Amino acid sequence: MTQPPPVPPEYPEPTGGPAHPGAAQVPPARPPVPGPRQPHVPPQAPPYPQAPQYPTAAAQPPPYPTGPQPPQYPSAPRFQPPHPDPQATAVPPPGSPPHPHHIDTAQRGRVHVSSRQRHTDATALGSLLLHLPNFLCSLVVVGLVSLIFGDLGLLVILAWLASGALVFHRPTESALARHLLRLRYPTPQERATLEPVWREVTARAGVEGRAYELWVEDSDSLNAVAAAGHIVGVTSFALNRLPNGELAAVMAHELGHHVGGHAWSGLLGHWYALPGRIAWRLLRAVTGFLFHVSRAFSCIGVAFFGLCAGGIALATISTLYGLPLLLLGMPYALAAVGRRSELRADRHAAALGFAPMLAAVLEKLHQQEQAQEQARLAAAGQGGGARMKETAASRLLSSHPDYHTRLHHLQEYLQPAR
């Protein structure tokens, strides 16, 4: 029989002690403590590197200039509307009740234009008649000046007489408004406020509004003016601080001066009175100079000067049949006619339906005048309680009636209809 191969002997593993005398002593390992059995997780294969991500489209190279580029200039700044005036009347927010004196300026239907646009009332005729003595005095002055020109003197007089037509010449009116009255053309924003109100006023009056020009005066006072034949001017205070109904009342008042003939008659009389006024001022200046010279010769010189001046005045009065004496009362008479024309203009505005608005404007004007008077008294050191008494002469020379008189004449339009 075949014998099995021999089994090699098993050698026991060392249980301790160094394998050789120089080996380190290692303590025997402890058997592991049995714990909860973990589920078997198969080993994961190592991830393979991903291919690099390339952009889908190639980046565009920066454009290179093909030639010299023109310089880039800054664009013009955009127009910014001016900031509103903080003192201007604030526009009420939507939904809030409108101002009691606010009017609707929307055009409704066809505007009726009256066939009679202007007339000359009694105050305009009275103004022309009262300027007649001034006109005659000016004619004498122009006649004396024309003697210098010899044979051409008559042409000088005729040219002066024809110069009154310049009052109705539009370019001349504009020059007078700009240089004498300190008026200017309104800005687009101001025109957008004025024109709807003016259309409402002229529509109620049946007047062609395009025949007039609207101007503005830069002033902090409540005022307006009717100048020459076709100019209506309002102050910036009235434009920015008044409701459109009260602004309409102011413009209707000035329109009353135009349709009544007050504006052109007053300006025409003032124009023809200029030579006489200039001569009177020169005469006063020369007389004052001679009086101061005569004082150097004591009482005899003053008496001699008085005799000479009195003789010249008496000769002038007797030669002109006492006409120069009328000049002493002309300022008072012209002021009385001016007050009457203001009341007629108030009546014109009230007849158009602006009586309550005009009364409110008069109240504001009265308060402004009182504030100015208090400021003058405070500046003069008289205190705020005292009030300067108005003399009788100042009242007679005033061209406008007082507040109470104007309000009294509006009462018939302020009372409710029965």
Side-chain angles (χ1 to χ4, degrees):
M1 293 183 64
T2 304
Q3 296 293 331
V7 178
E10 296 180 2
Y11 296 94
E13 296 180 1
T15 59
H20 53 83
Q25 299 292 330
V26 179
R30 293 183 180 181
V33 180
R37 188 175 181 180
Q38 300 293 332
H40 175 70
V41 178
Q44 298 290 336
Y48 292 96
Q50 300 290 333
Q53 300 293 329
Y54 295 98
T56 57
Q60 297 293 333
Y64 294 96
T66 57
Q69 298 292 330
Q72 299 294 330
Y73 296 100
S75 59
R78 298 181 62 185
F79 173 75
Q80 299 291 338
H83 296 286
D85 187 2
Q87 296 182 353
T89 304
V91 178
S96 61
H99 193 276
H101 292 160
H102 178 80
I103 60 174
D104 184 12
T105 57
Q107 291 291 336
R108 294 176 296 272
R110 186 177 179 181
V111 177
H112 170 71
V113 178
S114 176
S115 58
R116 185 183 182 186
Q117 294 289 298
R118 295 191 182 190
H119 61 277
T120 303
D121 59 17
T123 55
L125 291 176
S127 177
L128 290 176
L129 291 177
L130 291 176
H131 276 101
L132 184 59
N134 295 330
F135 168 76
L136 295 178
C137 291
S138 297
L139 182 60
V140 172
V141 172
V142 173
L144 294 177
V145 173
S146 66
L147 298 177
I148 303 175
F149 298 91
D151 296 338
L152 300 178
L154 182 60
L155 295 179
V156 173
I157 297 176
L158 294 178
W160 174 71
L161 292 175
S163 65
L166 294 175
V167 175
F168 308 99
H169 186 230
R170 289 298 185 94
T172 306
E173 289 183 7
S174 300
L176 292 175
R178 185 178 295 107
H179 299 291
L180 295 183
L181 302 178
R182 304 299 180 184
L183 300 178
R184 60 171 176 82
Y185 288 113
T187 63
Q189 292 80 7
E190 292 171 341
R191 188 175 295 277
T193 303
L194 287 173
E195 287 186 348
V197 178
W198 180 245
R199 285 196 300 267
E200 178 67 22
V201 172
T202 54
R204 295 189 184 188
V207 173
E208 179 59 58
R210 291 175 297 180
Y212 299 89
E213 295 183 4
L214 302 178
W215 293 64
V216 176
E217 177 187 1
D218 293 320
S219 175
D220 294 333
S221 62
L222 176 56
N223 198 7
V225 61
H230 308 89
I231 290 178
V232 175
V234 297
T235 60
S236 55
F237 179 91
L239 176 63
N240 298 324
R241 301 294 299 274
L242 295 181
N244 66 344
E246 297 179 8
L247 179 62
V250 173
M251 301 178 79
H253 173 90
E254 302 305 328
L255 181 61
H257 284 307
H258 277 299
V259 300
H262 311 155
W264 69 265
S265 62
L267 182 59
L268 192 63
H270 181 77
W271 179 270
Y272 282 120
L274 278 179
R277 292 176 185 271
I278 295 174
W280 173 247
R281 291 181 180 179
L282 290 176
L283 181 61
R284 289 181 57 184
V286 173
T287 304
F289 174 75
L290 294 178
F291 177 75
H292 287 293
V293 172
S294 66
R295 292 180 60 182
F297 299 96
S298 68
C299 297
I300 299 177
V302 175
F304 178 76
F305 173 78
L307 290 176
C308 293
I312 294 175
L314 181 61
T316 304
I317 293 174
S318 59
T319 303
L320 298 177
Y321 302 100
L323 185 62
L325 294 178
L326 297 178
L327 299 179
L328 300 178
M330 284 299 104
Y332 299 96
L334 288 174
V337 172
R339 292 192 296 269
R340 179 57 58 179
S341 66
E342 292 297 327
L343 294 178
R344 285 181 175 269
D346 287 348
R347 185 180 305 172
H348 177 270
L352 298 181
F354 299 113
M357 297 79 165
L358 184 59
V361 171
L362 294 178
E363 175 66 25
K364 293 178 180 179
L365 184 61
H366 181 59
Q367 294 177 358
Q368 193 175 73
E369 291 175 351
Q370 287 183 331
Q372 293 175 355
E373 182 180 0
Q374 294 295 331
R376 286 195 301 267
L377 293 176
Q382 299 183 14
R387 182 178 179 180
M388 187 181 302
K389 288 186 177 181
E390 187 178 12
T391 61
S394 62
R395 288 196 301 269
L396 292 177
L397 289 174
S398 177
S399 60
H400 285 67
D402 60 274
Y403 162 71
H404 302 285
T405 301
R406 299 179 70 174
L407 195 62
H408 171 73
H409 285 79
L410 288 177
Q411 289 302 316
E412 59 177 315
Y413 298 95
L414 296 175
Q415 296 176 356
R418 296 180 180 179

PDB file of all heavy atoms in Angstrom, residues 378-408:
ATOM      1  N   ALA A 378     -42.281 150.645  12.614  1.00  0.00           N
ATOM      2  CA  ALA A 378     -41.241 149.994  13.408  1.00  0.00           C
ATOM      3  C   ALA A 378     -39.853 150.459  12.992  1.00  0.00           C
ATOM      4  O   ALA A 378     -38.960 150.636  13.825  1.00  0.00           O
ATOM      5  CB  ALA A 378     -41.362 148.480  13.270  1.00  0.00           C
ATOM      6  N   ALA A 379     -39.664 150.682  11.693  1.00  0.00           N
ATOM      7  CA  ALA A 379     -38.359 151.160  11.227  1.00  0.00           C
ATOM      8  C   ALA A 379     -38.107 152.596  11.670  1.00  0.00           C
ATOM      9  O   ALA A 379     -36.963 152.989  11.910  1.00  0.00           O
ATOM     10  CB  ALA A 379     -38.280 151.063   9.707  1.00  0.00           C
ATOM     11  N   ALA A 380     -39.187 153.377  11.786  1.00  0.00           N
ATOM     12  CA  ALA A 380     -39.035 154.761  12.232  1.00  0.00           C
ATOM     13  C   ALA A 380     -38.934 154.880  13.739  1.00  0.00           C
ATOM     14  O   ALA A 380     -38.748 155.985  14.259  1.00  0.00           O
ATOM     15  CB  ALA A 380     -40.204 155.607  11.725  1.00  0.00           C
ATOM     16  N   GLY A 381     -39.099 153.772  14.471  1.00  0.00           N
ATOM     17  CA  GLY A 381     -38.977 153.795  15.926  1.00  0.00           C
ATOM     18  C   GLY A 381     -40.208 154.258  16.649  1.00  0.00           C
ATOM     19  O   GLY A 381     -40.132 154.631  17.825  1.00  0.00           O
ATOM     20  N   GLN A 382     -41.359 154.226  16.002  1.00  0.00           N
ATOM     21  CA  GLN A 382     -42.596 154.677  16.645  1.00  0.00           C
ATOM     22  C   GLN A 382     -43.374 153.543  17.280  1.00  0.00           C
ATOM     23  O   GLN A 382     -44.434 153.771  17.844  1.00  0.00           O
ATOM     24  CB  GLN A 382     -43.483 155.383  15.611  1.00  0.00           C
ATOM     25  CG  GLN A 382     -42.829 156.611  14.994  1.00  0.00           C
ATOM     26  CD  GLN A 382     -43.746 157.324  14.026  1.00  0.00           C
ATOM     27  OE1 GLN A 382     -44.945 157.057  14.001  1.00  0.00           O
ATOM     28  NE2 GLN A 382     -43.200 158.235  13.240  1.00  0.00           N
ATOM     29  N   GLY A 383     -42.872 152.319  17.153  1.00  0.00           N
ATOM     30  CA  GLY A 383     -43.588 151.201  17.762  1.00  0.00           C
ATOM     31  C   GLY A 383     -44.681 150.695  16.857  1.00  0.00           C
ATOM     32  O   GLY A 383     -45.081 151.319  15.883  1.00  0.00           O
ATOM     33  N   GLY A 384     -45.161 149.498  17.200  1.00  0.00           N
ATOM     34  CA  GLY A 384     -46.178 148.876  16.366  1.00  0.00           C
ATOM     35  C   GLY A 384     -47.585 149.310  16.700  1.00  0.00           C
ATOM     36  O   GLY A 384     -48.501 149.068  15.935  1.00  0.00           O
ATOM     37  N   GLY A 385     -47.814 149.951  17.849  1.00  0.00           N
ATOM     38  CA  GLY A 385     -49.176 150.299  18.222  1.00  0.00           C
ATOM     39  C   GLY A 385     -49.664 151.589  17.609  1.00  0.00           C
ATOM     40  O   GLY A 385     -50.839 151.767  17.342  1.00  0.00           O
ATOM     41  N   ALA A 386     -48.734 152.518  17.385  1.00  0.00           N
ATOM     42  CA  ALA A 386     -49.134 153.804  16.839  1.00  0.00           C
ATOM     43  C   ALA A 386     -49.416 153.686  15.355  1.00  0.00           C
ATOM     44  O   ALA A 386     -48.806 152.896  14.649  1.00  0.00           O
ATOM     45  CB  ALA A 386     -48.037 154.842  17.079  1.00  0.00           C
ATOM     46  N   ARG A 387     -50.295 154.484  14.868  1.00  0.00           N
ATOM     47  CA  ARG A 387     -50.639 154.492  13.450  1.00  0.00           C
ATOM     48  C   ARG A 387     -50.614 155.915  12.947  1.00  0.00           C
ATOM     49  O   ARG A 387     -51.180 156.819  13.557  1.00  0.00           O
ATOM     50  CB  ARG A 387     -52.026 153.881  13.223  1.00  0.00           C
ATOM     51  CG  ARG A 387     -52.408 153.818  11.737  1.00  0.00           C
ATOM     52  CD  ARG A 387     -53.758 153.169  11.537  1.00  0.00           C
ATOM     53  NE  ARG A 387     -54.121 153.132  10.133  1.00  0.00           N
ATOM     54  CZ  ARG A 387     -55.253 152.609   9.681  1.00  0.00           C
ATOM     55  NH1 ARG A 387     -56.128 152.080  10.538  1.00  0.00           N
ATOM     56  NH2 ARG A 387     -55.515 152.613   8.396  1.00  0.00           N
ATOM     57  N   MET A 388     -49.912 156.074  11.825  1.00  0.00           N
ATOM     58  CA  MET A 388     -49.787 157.404  11.253  1.00  0.00           C
ATOM     59  C   MET A 388     -51.139 157.860  10.696  1.00  0.00           C
ATOM     60  O   MET A 388     -51.767 157.142   9.927  1.00  0.00           O
ATOM     61  CB  MET A 388     -48.733 157.390  10.149  1.00  0.00           C
ATOM     62  CG  MET A 388     -48.410 158.776   9.590  1.00  0.00           C
ATOM     63  SD  MET A 388     -47.174 158.656   8.286  1.00  0.00           S
ATOM     64  CE  MET A 388     -45.838 157.878   9.186  1.00  0.00           C
ATOM     65  N   LYS A 389     -51.554 159.031  11.091  1.00  0.00           N
ATOM     66  CA  LYS A 389     -52.826 159.556  10.641  1.00  0.00           C
ATOM     67  C   LYS A 389     -52.708 160.017   9.190  1.00  0.00           C
ATOM     68  O   LYS A 389     -51.754 160.686   8.797  1.00  0.00           O
ATOM     69  CB  LYS A 389     -53.270 160.727  11.522  1.00  0.00           C
ATOM     70  CG  LYS A 389     -53.719 160.287  12.910  1.00  0.00           C
ATOM     71  CD  LYS A 389     -54.282 161.465  13.680  1.00  0.00           C
ATOM     72  CE  LYS A 389     -54.809 161.019  15.034  1.00  0.00           C
ATOM     73  NZ  LYS A 389     -55.388 162.156  15.788  1.00  0.00           N
ATOM     74  N   GLU A 390     -53.709 159.659   8.406  1.00  0.00           N
ATOM     75  CA  GLU A 390     -53.740 160.053   7.006  1.00  0.00           C
ATOM     76  C   GLU A 390     -54.352 161.441   6.897  1.00  0.00           C
ATOM     77  O   GLU A 390     -55.455 161.689   7.374  1.00  0.00           O
ATOM     78  CB  GLU A 390     -54.548 159.043   6.190  1.00  0.00           C
ATOM     79  CG  GLU A 390     -54.487 159.277   4.696  1.00  0.00           C
ATOM     80  CD  GLU A 390     -55.258 158.216   3.936  1.00  0.00           C
ATOM     81  OE1 GLU A 390     -56.011 157.462   4.584  1.00  0.00           O
ATOM     82  OE2 GLU A 390     -55.123 158.151   2.706  1.00  0.00           O
ATOM     83  N   THR A 391     -53.621 162.337   6.289  1.00  0.00           N
ATOM     84  CA  THR A 391     -54.094 163.710   6.180  1.00  0.00           C
ATOM     85  C   THR A 391     -55.167 163.810   5.103  1.00  0.00           C
ATOM     86  O   THR A 391     -55.314 162.925   4.249  1.00  0.00           O
ATOM     87  CB  THR A 391     -52.923 164.648   5.853  1.00  0.00           C
ATOM     88  OG1 THR A 391     -52.357 164.261   4.595  1.00  0.00           O
ATOM     89  CG2 THR A 391     -51.839 164.564   6.921  1.00  0.00           C
ATOM     90  N   ALA A 392     -55.880 164.914   5.126  1.00  0.00           N
ATOM     91  CA  ALA A 392     -56.931 165.128   4.130  1.00  0.00           C
ATOM     92  C   ALA A 392     -56.343 165.305   2.740  1.00  0.00           C
ATOM     93  O   ALA A 392     -56.908 164.832   1.743  1.00  0.00           O
ATOM     94  CB  ALA A 392     -57.760 166.355   4.520  1.00  0.00           C
ATOM     95  N   ALA A 393     -55.174 165.956   2.656  1.00  0.00           N
ATOM     96  CA  ALA A 393     -54.547 166.155   1.346  1.00  0.00           C
ATOM     97  C   ALA A 393     -54.112 164.827   0.740  1.00  0.00           C
ATOM     98  O   ALA A 393     -54.263 164.597  -0.465  1.00  0.00           O
ATOM     99  CB  ALA A 393     -53.353 167.098   1.487  1.00  0.00           C
ATOM    100  N   SER A 394     -53.571 163.921   1.583  1.00  0.00           N
ATOM    101  CA  SER A 394     -53.141 162.622   1.051  1.00  0.00           C
ATOM    102  C   SER A 394     -54.332 161.798   0.582  1.00  0.00           C
ATOM    103  O   SER A 394     -54.235 161.075  -0.404  1.00  0.00           O
ATOM    104  CB  SER A 394     -52.345 161.866   2.116  1.00  0.00           C
ATOM    105  OG  SER A 394     -53.154 161.617   3.259  1.00  0.00           O
ATOM    106  N   ARG A 395     -55.461 161.905   1.285  1.00  0.00           N
ATOM    107  CA  ARG A 395     -56.652 161.184   0.832  1.00  0.00           C
ATOM    108  C   ARG A 395     -57.161 161.738  -0.488  1.00  0.00           C
ATOM    109  O   ARG A 395     -57.611 160.998  -1.357  1.00  0.00           O
ATOM    110  CB  ARG A 395     -57.747 161.259   1.898  1.00  0.00           C
ATOM    111  CG  ARG A 395     -57.481 160.430   3.139  1.00  0.00           C
ATOM    112  CD  ARG A 395     -58.755 160.252   3.947  1.00  0.00           C
ATOM    113  NE  ARG A 395     -59.310 161.530   4.359  1.00  0.00           N
ATOM    114  CZ  ARG A 395     -59.028 162.146   5.502  1.00  0.00           C
ATOM    115  NH1 ARG A 395     -58.181 161.590   6.356  1.00  0.00           N
ATOM    116  NH2 ARG A 395     -59.578 163.301   5.809  1.00  0.00           N
ATOM    117  N   LEU A 396     -57.097 163.070  -0.654  1.00  0.00           N
ATOM    118  CA  LEU A 396     -57.582 163.679  -1.891  1.00  0.00           C
ATOM    119  C   LEU A 396     -56.653 163.403  -3.066  1.00  0.00           C
ATOM    120  O   LEU A 396     -57.101 163.381  -4.213  1.00  0.00           O
ATOM    121  CB  LEU A 396     -57.737 165.188  -1.702  1.00  0.00           C
ATOM    122  CG  LEU A 396     -58.842 165.636  -0.745  1.00  0.00           C
ATOM    123  CD1 LEU A 396     -58.828 167.145  -0.587  1.00  0.00           C
ATOM    124  CD2 LEU A 396     -60.213 165.155  -1.228  1.00  0.00           C
ATOM    125  N   LEU A 397     -55.377 163.166  -2.802  1.00  0.00           N
ATOM    126  CA  LEU A 397     -54.426 162.900  -3.865  1.00  0.00           C
ATOM    127  C   LEU A 397     -54.269 161.417  -4.166  1.00  0.00           C
ATOM    128  O   LEU A 397     -53.518 161.063  -5.077  1.00  0.00           O
ATOM    129  CB  LEU A 397     -53.057 163.495  -3.507  1.00  0.00           C
ATOM    130  CG  LEU A 397     -52.950 165.021  -3.542  1.00  0.00           C
ATOM    131  CD1 LEU A 397     -51.591 165.462  -3.032  1.00  0.00           C
ATOM    132  CD2 LEU A 397     -53.205 165.564  -4.948  1.00  0.00           C
ATOM    133  N   SER A 398     -54.970 160.563  -3.421  1.00  0.00           N
ATOM    134  CA  SER A 398     -54.866 159.130  -3.658  1.00  0.00           C
ATOM    135  C   SER A 398     -55.646 158.755  -4.910  1.00  0.00           C
ATOM    136  O   SER A 398     -56.790 159.182  -5.105  1.00  0.00           O
ATOM    137  CB  SER A 398     -55.415 158.356  -2.452  1.00  0.00           C
ATOM    138  OG  SER A 398     -55.381 156.971  -2.699  1.00  0.00           O
ATOM    139  N   SER A 399     -55.022 157.927  -5.748  1.00  0.00           N
ATOM    140  CA  SER A 399     -55.673 157.513  -6.998  1.00  0.00           C
ATOM    141  C   SER A 399     -56.558 156.288  -6.810  1.00  0.00           C
ATOM    142  O   SER A 399     -57.260 155.907  -7.763  1.00  0.00           O
ATOM    143  CB  SER A 399     -54.613 157.214  -8.063  1.00  0.00           C
ATOM    144  OG  SER A 399     -53.761 156.169  -7.633  1.00  0.00           O
ATOM    145  N   HIS A 400     -56.551 155.669  -5.625  1.00  0.00           N
ATOM    146  CA  HIS A 400     -57.382 154.486  -5.362  1.00  0.00           C
ATOM    147  C   HIS A 400     -58.261 154.739  -4.140  1.00  0.00           C
ATOM    148  O   HIS A 400     -57.805 155.344  -3.161  1.00  0.00           O
ATOM    149  CB  HIS A 400     -56.508 153.254  -5.096  1.00  0.00           C
ATOM    150  CG  HIS A 400     -55.871 152.695  -6.332  1.00  0.00           C
ATOM    151  ND1 HIS A 400     -54.911 153.375  -7.039  1.00  0.00           N
ATOM    152  CD2 HIS A 400     -56.068 151.510  -6.986  1.00  0.00           C
ATOM    153  CE1 HIS A 400     -54.525 152.646  -8.076  1.00  0.00           C
ATOM    154  NE2 HIS A 400     -55.223 151.519  -8.075  1.00  0.00           N
ATOM    155  N   PRO A 401     -59.495 154.311  -4.179  1.00  0.00           N
ATOM    156  CA  PRO A 401     -60.344 154.445  -2.990  1.00  0.00           C
ATOM    157  C   PRO A 401     -59.821 153.562  -1.857  1.00  0.00           C
ATOM    158  O   PRO A 401     -59.062 152.610  -2.083  1.00  0.00           O
ATOM    159  CB  PRO A 401     -61.724 153.982  -3.476  1.00  0.00           C
ATOM    160  CG  PRO A 401     -61.637 153.955  -4.967  1.00  0.00           C
ATOM    161  CD  PRO A 401     -60.211 153.708  -5.311  1.00  0.00           C
ATOM    162  N   ASP A 402     -60.238 153.870  -0.663  1.00  0.00           N
ATOM    163  CA  ASP A 402     -59.821 153.040   0.472  1.00  0.00           C
ATOM    164  C   ASP A 402     -60.588 151.720   0.466  1.00  0.00           C
ATOM    165  O   ASP A 402     -61.549 151.528  -0.284  1.00  0.00           O
ATOM    166  CB  ASP A 402     -60.049 153.795   1.789  1.00  0.00           C
ATOM    167  CG  ASP A 402     -61.509 154.171   1.991  1.00  0.00           C
ATOM    168  OD1 ASP A 402     -61.932 155.240   1.476  1.00  0.00           O
ATOM    169  OD2 ASP A 402     -62.242 153.388   2.613  1.00  0.00           O
ATOM    170  N   TYR A 403     -60.130 150.824   1.312  1.00  0.00           N
ATOM    171  CA  TYR A 403     -60.673 149.459   1.333  1.00  0.00           C
ATOM    172  C   TYR A 403     -62.161 149.445   1.642  1.00  0.00           C
ATOM    173  O   TYR A 403     -62.944 148.740   0.983  1.00  0.00           O
ATOM    174  CB  TYR A 403     -59.892 148.636   2.360  1.00  0.00           C
ATOM    175  CG  TYR A 403     -60.580 147.372   2.799  1.00  0.00           C
ATOM    176  CD1 TYR A 403     -60.705 146.285   1.938  1.00  0.00           C
ATOM    177  CD2 TYR A 403     -61.103 147.267   4.089  1.00  0.00           C
ATOM    178  CE1 TYR A 403     -61.340 145.128   2.341  1.00  0.00           C
ATOM    179  CE2 TYR A 403     -61.740 146.110   4.495  1.00  0.00           C
ATOM    180  CZ  TYR A 403     -61.852 145.038   3.618  1.00  0.00           C
ATOM    181  OH  TYR A 403     -62.481 143.898   4.022  1.00  0.00           O
ATOM    182  N   HIS A 404     -62.599 150.201   2.615  1.00  0.00           N
ATOM    183  CA  HIS A 404     -64.006 150.179   3.032  1.00  0.00           C
ATOM    184  C   HIS A 404     -64.921 150.745   1.937  1.00  0.00           C
ATOM    185  O   HIS A 404     -66.048 150.259   1.760  1.00  0.00           O
ATOM    186  CB  HIS A 404     -64.174 150.962   4.335  1.00  0.00           C
ATOM    187  CG  HIS A 404     -63.327 150.435   5.457  1.00  0.00           C
ATOM    188  ND1 HIS A 404     -63.635 149.284   6.141  1.00  0.00           N
ATOM    189  CD2 HIS A 404     -62.158 150.894   5.995  1.00  0.00           C
ATOM    190  CE1 HIS A 404     -62.713 149.050   7.062  1.00  0.00           C
ATOM    191  NE2 HIS A 404     -61.818 150.013   6.999  1.00  0.00           N
ATOM    192  N   THR A 405     -64.452 151.761   1.213  1.00  0.00           N
ATOM    193  CA  THR A 405     -65.272 152.318   0.135  1.00  0.00           C
ATOM    194  C   THR A 405     -65.463 151.306  -0.989  1.00  0.00           C
ATOM    195  O   THR A 405     -66.579 151.120  -1.504  1.00  0.00           O
ATOM    196  CB  THR A 405     -64.619 153.596  -0.404  1.00  0.00           C
ATOM    197  OG1 THR A 405     -64.483 154.549   0.665  1.00  0.00           O
ATOM    198  CG2 THR A 405     -65.456 154.202  -1.517  1.00  0.00           C
ATOM    199  N   ARG A 406     -64.403 150.639  -1.358  1.00  0.00           N
ATOM    200  CA  ARG A 406     -64.505 149.648  -2.438  1.00  0.00           C
ATOM    201  C   ARG A 406     -65.381 148.473  -2.019  1.00  0.00           C
ATOM    202  O   ARG A 406     -66.168 147.958  -2.826  1.00  0.00           O
ATOM    203  CB  ARG A 406     -63.105 149.173  -2.840  1.00  0.00           C
ATOM    204  CG  ARG A 406     -62.220 150.276  -3.352  1.00  0.00           C
ATOM    205  CD  ARG A 406     -60.839 149.792  -3.731  1.00  0.00           C
ATOM    206  NE  ARG A 406     -60.859 148.961  -4.943  1.00  0.00           N
ATOM    207  CZ  ARG A 406     -59.773 148.513  -5.548  1.00  0.00           C
ATOM    208  NH1 ARG A 406     -58.557 148.799  -5.042  1.00  0.00           N
ATOM    209  NH2 ARG A 406     -59.867 147.781  -6.638  1.00  0.00           N
ATOM    210  N   LEU A 407     -65.239 148.044  -0.783  1.00  0.00           N
ATOM    211  CA  LEU A 407     -66.062 146.936  -0.316  1.00  0.00           C
ATOM    212  C   LEU A 407     -67.533 147.339  -0.234  1.00  0.00           C
ATOM    213  O   LEU A 407     -68.430 146.518  -0.489  1.00  0.00           O
ATOM    214  CB  LEU A 407     -65.553 146.451   1.047  1.00  0.00           C
ATOM    215  CG  LEU A 407     -66.054 145.090   1.507  1.00  0.00           C
ATOM    216  CD1 LEU A 407     -65.600 143.998   0.556  1.00  0.00           C
ATOM    217  CD2 LEU A 407     -65.559 144.794   2.914  1.00  0.00           C
ATOM    218  N   HIS A 408     -67.788 148.590   0.113  1.00  0.00           N
ATOM    219  CA  HIS A 408     -69.172 149.069   0.179  1.00  0.00           C
ATOM    220  C   HIS A 408     -69.832 149.041  -1.205  1.00  0.00           C
ATOM    221  O   HIS A 408     -71.008 148.664  -1.323  1.00  0.00           O
ATOM    222  CB  HIS A 408     -69.197 150.488   0.749  1.00  0.00           C
ATOM    223  CG  HIS A 408     -70.535 151.147   0.667  1.00  0.00           C
ATOM    224  ND1 HIS A 408     -71.601 150.793   1.480  1.00  0.00           N
ATOM    225  CD2 HIS A 408     -70.996 152.139  -0.157  1.00  0.00           C
ATOM    226  CE1 HIS A 408     -72.644 151.526   1.184  1.00  0.00           C
ATOM    227  NE2 HIS A 408     -72.309 152.356   0.201  1.00  0.00           N
TER     228      HIS A 408
END
